[in-house]
Amino acid sequence: MYICPVCKKKLKKLDNVFHCQNGHSFDIARKGYVNLLTTKKRDPSKSGDKAEMVKARTAFLDKDYYRPLAEKTASLLKELLDGKKNAAVIDSGCGEGYYTCIYAHSVPEALFFGVDISKSAISHCMTRVHIRGLKNCEFCVASSFELPFKNEMADVVVSTFAPVSNDEYARVLKTGGRMIVVSPSPKHLFELKSAVYDKPYDNAPNNYALSKFELERSEIFEYTRTLETTQEITDLFTMTPYFFKTSVQGLEKLKRLDSREVTCGFDIRIYKRIF
Ligand SMILES: C[S@@+](CC[C@H](N)C(=O)[O-])C[C@H]1O[C@@H](n2cnc3c(N)ncnc32)[C@H](O)[C@@H]1O
Ligand SMILES: [Zn+2]
């Protein structure tokens, strides 16, 4: 399914190596993923989420506070794929694999390809695959802006809290293929922002410049959960972009909270490829 990131020819798997006809080769790591990020512009060790961020994300996600979102997206995938055998789904910017593995488990007739620029994140995806014994998902290290797939190979691309590429997602999607984009809703984690900021604002909706897609459906999906410990509160806040914008005093306020009910809010959009 992969193409060579150097010459764009098909990659074939032979033992533990992917080869193209022009002699480029990519070893499959012991855990079972392949690193296809060869672009000289980026040093993979410096790209995407670092090991400690992946660890914090895993610790939080494993508490299943976001499981309703994973199940909601899985049910949208089921609906869009409508029982089609071997449909291909790309989870672009898949992170450490929490969502991809829930999708693969829920839609066993489809094939899932998780892509992330962070090697630590992709390595953890394989841990999840082995624990769950999943046979219908593969993972590679690559950029969402240079996906290692041939044109029109995918039925659906999913992007959850991750980059969105108008051109690249349109290229890999089949005609009429769908893209599911999940981003924070205006009220996502508002209660944590209220604890930290004097004047908390709603999150502004994301405005993607998507000339190759039309919006087919959108939904604000919200529910509340109680974070039980200071550790859970700080783990979650550390995962968000607000963390980097918060003063030391703000973070101190956060550390004084011992439990808090929060809104988990997601803006879920389904786009159709139109070019
Ligand atoms: C906020 S995390 C979301 C991860 C996952 N979708 C989730 O919700 O748990 C964003 C992810 O995008 C990845 N990322 C950032 N830039 C990327 C790029 N250019 N190509 C692929 N992945 C990228 C990061 O490494 C990180 O894993
Ligand atoms: Zn090649």
Side-chain angles (χ1 to χ4, degrees):
M1 276 287 188
Y2 294 126
I3 59 168
C4 174
V6 182
C7 66
K8 310 295 177 194
K9 297 286 182 201
K10 208 167 152 183
L11 284 177
K12 283 201 182 125
K13 192 169 158 187
L14 191 66
D15 299 325
N16 280 330
V17 183
F18 278 104
H19 298 269
C20 73
Q21 65 187 50
N22 291 323
H24 304 120
S25 64
F26 306 89
D27 292 344
I28 297 171
R30 234 176 329 128
K31 287 185 90 174
Y33 67 88
V34 60
N35 187 347
L36 297 173
L37 190 73
T38 60
T39 156
K40 297 208 174 60
K41 283 176 259 160
R42 271 200 197 97
D43 174 354
S45 64
K46 297 199 180 83
S47 305
D49 279 6
K50 307 289 168 293
E52 58 281 15
M53 288 161 84
V54 172
K55 213 167 149 199
R57 192 175 294 283
T58 299
F60 179 78
L61 289 172
D62 276 344
K63 300 245 159 61
D64 281 336
Y65 289 118
Y66 286 0
R67 190 163 185 107
L69 170 64
E71 288 175 353
K72 170 83 183 173
T73 311
S75 77
L76 290 171
L77 283 167
K78 249 188 195 333
E79 188 190 321
L80 292 174
L81 299 172
D82 195 22
K84 186 175 171 187
K85 296 261 175 306
N86 297 325
V89 178
I90 300 170
D91 189 1
S92 193
C94 63
E96 54 73 79
Y98 176 82
Y99 296 91
T100 329
C101 289
I102 290 177
Y103 307 154
H105 182 77
S106 312
V107 196
E109 66 277 16
L111 303 171
F112 289 82
F113 297 88
V115 176
D116 201 285
I117 206 162
S118 156
K119 204 165 135 184
S120 310
I122 289 296
S123 174
H124 193 267
C125 292
M126 295 312 300
T127 306
R128 291 198 183 275
V129 166
H130 297 313
I131 290 170
R132 282 180 164 248
L134 294 166
K135 300 277 180 253
N136 61 332
C137 53
E138 291 182 21
F139 290 91
C140 71
V141 181
S143 168
S144 299
F145 298 93
E146 200 180 345
L147 291 168
F149 302 108
K150 67 179 174 48
N151 296 353
E152 307 211 350
M153 66 73 79
D155 294 83
V156 182
V157 174
V158 186
S159 165
T160 302
F161 296 124
V164 173
S165 168
N166 178 56
D167 291 341
E168 191 60 347
Y169 294 0
R171 181 186 72 75
V172 295
L173 276 170
K174 293 175 181 163
T175 308
R178 303 303 205 282
M179 172 168 81
I180 303 177
V181 181
V182 180
S183 61
S185 75
K187 288 285 178 232
H188 184 54
L189 307 184
F190 190 80
E191 301 81 353
L192 287 190
K193 289 198 285 180
S194 308
V196 169
Y197 304 131
D198 294 334
K199 268 198 210 157
Y201 292 106
D202 284 1
N203 301 310
N206 275 322
N207 276 324
Y208 308 106
L210 296 173
S211 56
K212 295 182 176 173
F213 293 88
E214 70 183 11
L215 183 64
E216 204 172 50
R217 241 200 278 176
S218 70
E219 180 180 340
I220 297 293
F221 178 63
E222 282 178 348
Y223 54 89
T224 55
R225 286 289 179 273
T226 303
L227 300 172
E228 305 284 0
T229 63
T230 311
Q231 185 65 47
E232 283 180 10
I233 292 169
T234 45
D235 272 352
L236 175 55
F237 202 75
T238 310
M239 262 171 63
T240 67
Y242 321 126
F243 177 70
F244 299 102
K245 299 175 200 154
T246 304
S247 64
V248 176
Q249 292 90 323
L251 292 175
E252 283 305 317
K253 285 188 204 162
L254 196 73
K255 285 183 190 152
R256 287 198 285 276
L257 300 176
D258 51 7
S259 86
R260 174 139 302 210
E261 186 174 80
V262 293
T263 302
C264 305
F266 309 100
D267 178 341
I268 305 176
R269 301 187 197 176
I270 301 181
Y271 294 89
K272 184 176 180 182
R273 194 199 115 176
I274 49 171
F275 284 107

